[in-house]
Amino acid sequence: MLDTRGVLAILVSVAFLAGMFSYRRGREVEAFFLLGGGFALAAFWGLMGMALSRTGPTQVPGDIYLAMSGSAVVMSMYFFIEGHSTLRDR
């Protein structure tokens, strides 16, 4: 059975793959926005993992999920800013 975090993981994977293929084909603006959206979903996935770790026993502590979410937020901001900058330069 697939839960919410599993669906988010699949969506993140699709966004990352689509972003990489878009970048490879020369569509940089689309790629940056897809990668930024993928990292935003990854941050949400990490926050859900942190909430899950506080409600029951897990193998990964909540602090690790919080650190992953923080780095995903920073990467999301980077790719959205890079996409906006590339779009503005065109």
Side-chain angles (χ1 to χ4, degrees), residues 62-83:
D63 296 342
I64 300 293
Y65 283 115
L66 184 61
M68 288 185 335
S69 292
S71 61
V73 166
V74 170
M75 290 302 296
S76 178
M77 289 171 48
Y78 169 76
F79 280 113
F80 280 133
I81 290 170
E82 190 69 29

Side-chain angles (χ1 to χ4, degrees), residues 19-49:
M20 287 188 291
F21 285 127
S22 293
Y23 188 79
R24 181 74 173 121
R25 294 194 180 269
R27 296 181 291 197
E28 295 173 342
V29 175
E30 292 174 9
F32 289 142
F33 284 121
L34 281 168
L35 289 170
F39 275 111
L41 287 173
F44 187 62
W45 179 88
L47 291 174
M48 288 182 68

Side-chain angles (χ1 to χ4, degrees), residues 3 5 45-62 65:
D3 59 347
R5 287 183 52 220
W45 179 88
L47 291 174
M48 288 182 68
M50 184 183 71
L52 180 67
S53 71
R54 294 184 187 231
T55 60
T58 59
Q59 295 179 351
V60 179
Y65 283 115

